[in-house]
Amino acid sequence: MRITRADVIVTSPSRNFVTLKITTDSGVTGLGDATLNGRELAVAAYLRDHVVPLLADRDPARIEDTWQFLYRGAYWRRGPVTMAAIAAVDMALWDIKGKIANLPLYQLLGGACRTGLRAYGHASGTTLPELFDSIRSHMAEGYTAIRVQTAVPGLGAVYGVVASGAPTRASDQRYDYDPAQRGARPTEEEWDTSAYLRHVPAVFDAVRREFGGELPLLHDGHHRMTPIQAARLGKALEPYDLFWLEDCTPAENQDALRLVRQHTTTPLAIGEVFNTVWDFQTMIRDQLIDYVRAAVTHFGGISPLKKLADYAAQYQIKSGFHGPTDISPVGMAAQLHVGLAIHNFGIQEYMPPSAATSVVFQHAFTFTDGYLHPGDKPGLGVELDEPAAAGFPYEQAYLPYARLRDGTMHDW
Ligand code: EZ4
Ligand code: CO
């Protein structure tokens, strides 16, 4: 069997997605997600100009060899653009292999280790009553674990927090929250880590008083603390028994987590911006974290994500793959298959795709009573409606960025 063509499809049903579609001489097709929030067209160009021409006539069955060819053969390694492009090829080839075998991908990865994947949802509010309403509505929708983000007194819009008065139900359109905003330039938000650190423990105290001790709660620090600030927050949150504290420090310095770890038993999750296992090397080997947050789309695909999970498992570290709406339904399906098959699955982040996204990407995966399942269609279980996709052309959209009051550009 041979690859006869590969097409890059950029579509924007409420947000931008980049999809690779590989076609074989037997007519079987496979899909891969190459979406890189705010830098979508760079990956599309990388694929179109430098990868698609190399795929012609290759054997689609040779997934690992093709991955190594694209990774090693380029000379230039790693980085989000490269790894998103390679990820899309890897996913599409696994999709093809599953369709040819007539098996859902998770069966090719060893079969199901569980009946479903526990998902966490995203509650937020600018006030405690709004936050409580948001938590309640997520519970009503079935979520059994909830990420809690709030506004900070004295600051305006805070990343990850729905604007006051906006819909807070998980099933509503939440693109005011989901971070990329349409427009030619990113918006600017003001940030103050000290104000944030003073406020967050009081919020978790209030949430525990309202909802009791059992509900698993998560929090995302979005890489905005120094190591000692993160250590202080982790320690302050210990009484509230977090499921995890996410991205407490910037991504580049693995040893920062060592300092945090020395001070707190709050479980730590990190890695949504990581591209390869090397970004996790120190923190896994030295047991500085509890959950790996890599996303299949930005980590080079299914093949390396499975290897990461297996490496992490040797240290009792679990998965918590990144799952915002900038992972397309193709990427989400891919990591659900991995999550179902690995023994050390931890939890899956989930934001429901918008109605328009679900028209463009028809997916077999389901969310029922708080649990996700990839479904039993062969391959990934996602079909792309190309005419529908063509009706939603690319629109510029960017993540906001943060500055301190004196204008200093802040870490993400
Ligand atoms: O900032 O998906 O845990 N989830 C997150 C997300 C990410 C965006 C980046 O594109 O942190 O909101
Ligand atoms: Co995050």
Side-chain angles (χ1 to χ4, degrees), residues 275-291:
N275 307 130
T276 72
V277 70
W278 302 105
D279 300 326
F280 283 107
Q281 184 185 26
T282 302
M283 53 180 80
I284 290 180
R285 185 195 58 209
D286 294 353
Q287 304 183 76
L288 306 181
I289 56 171
D290 302 280
Y291 297 91

Side-chain angles (χ1 to χ4, degrees), residues 37 120 122 147 159 177-179 220 222 246-247 272 293 322 324 326 349 351 399 412:
N37 202 356
Y120 71 88
H122 301 75
R147 192 185 87 163
Y159 185 76
Y177 156 51
D178 189 67
D220 192 344
H222 288 302
E246 171 184 344
D247 287 345
E272 66 185 50
R293 290 277 294 142
H322 192 213
D326 44 290
E349 180 179 25
M351 290 182 191
L399 292 160
W412 227 93

Side-chain angles (χ1 to χ4, degrees), residues 9-324:
I9 299 119
V10 180
T11 180
S12 194
S14 23
R15 65 168 313 131
N16 295 313
F17 295 110
V18 180
T19 308
L20 180 70
K21 178 182 173 186
I22 294 181
T23 304
T24 66
D25 54 2
S26 62
V28 178
T29 61
L31 297 178
D33 180 23
T35 306
L36 183 62
N37 202 356
R39 297 293 185 270
E40 296 87 356
L41 299 186
V43 190
Y46 188 109
L47 280 168
R48 267 190 205 118
D49 297 343
H50 304 296
V51 174
V52 167
L54 303 180
L55 293 177
D57 287 333
R58 290 187 69 86
D59 178 356
R62 296 181 62 177
I63 301 176
E64 180 69 17
D65 179 63
T66 300
W67 194 97
Q68 300 294 344
F69 168 66
L70 294 174
Y71 183 76
R72 294 174 196 278
Y75 184 74
W76 308 106
R77 297 184 181 194
R78 309 165 64 179
V81 175
T82 297
M83 299 313 288
I86 296 177
V89 176
D90 185 81
M91 278 181 243
L93 296 185
W94 277 110
D95 194 20
I96 289 168
K97 197 179 279 294
K99 286 179 182 172
I100 288 169
N102 200 27
L103 289 171
L105 174 67
Y106 73 84
Q107 293 290 9
L108 302 182
L109 298 176
C113 262
R114 54 193 53 77
T115 53
L117 304 169
R118 174 147 76 159
Y120 71 88
H122 301 75
S124 73
T126 53
T127 63
L128 283 178
E130 279 184 6
L131 174 63
F132 292 174
D133 281 353
S134 177
I135 293 173
R136 271 189 209 100
S137 68
H138 279 80
M139 292 171 77
E141 293 187 26
Y143 288 97
T144 63
I146 295 179
R147 192 185 87 163
V148 170
Q149 308 293 127
T150 67
V152 176
L155 296 182
V158 169
Y159 185 76
V161 179
V162 176
S164 191
T168 50
R169 282 184 304 145
S171 55
D172 286 325
Q173 296 303 296
R174 292 159 55 87
Y175 291 97
D176 56 336
Y177 156 51
D178 189 67
Q181 288 159 24
R182 293 188 185 252
R185 288 166 186 271
T187 58
E188 180 179 323
E189 293 175 354
E190 192 192 332
W191 183 247
D192 179 344
T193 305
S194 297
Y196 163 78
L197 290 176
R198 284 192 297 274
H199 185 60
V200 174
V203 171
F204 277 88
D205 188 63
V207 170
R208 280 291 179 220
R209 282 174 200 277
E210 183 74 11
F211 293 93
E214 283 182 32
L215 179 66
L217 299 174
L218 302 84
H219 180 68
D220 192 344
H222 288 302
H223 326 268
R224 288 183 176 186
M225 287 164 268
T226 64
I228 199 67
Q229 288 171 331
R232 180 179 150 200
L233 181 63
K235 208 167 158 180
L237 292 177
E238 277 174 25
Y240 313 114
D241 189 22
L242 262 60
F243 186 96
W244 77 36
L245 173 61
E246 171 184 344
D247 287 345
C248 59
T249 50
E252 297 89 343
N253 179 9
Q254 296 194 42
D255 282 312
L257 278 296
R258 196 185 311 283
L259 191 147
V260 181
R261 197 66 144 177
Q262 281 164 1
H263 289 281
T264 181
T265 57
T266 292
L268 302 175
I270 197 164
E272 66 185 50
V273 302
F274 293 0
N275 307 130
T276 72
V277 70
W278 302 105
D279 300 326
F280 283 107
Q281 184 185 26
T282 302
M283 53 180 80
I284 290 180
R285 185 195 58 209
D286 294 353
Q287 304 183 76
L288 306 181
I289 56 171
D290 302 280
Y291 297 91
V292 289
R293 290 277 294 142
V296 68
T297 308
H298 306 127
F299 202 74
I302 292 157
S303 305
L305 194 69
K306 175 72 164 62
K307 293 174 191 175
L308 171 70
D310 291 343
Y311 176 41
Q314 312 313 313
Y315 299 91
Q316 293 175 283
I317 295 168
K318 296 186 176 187
S319 72
F321 302 143
H322 192 213

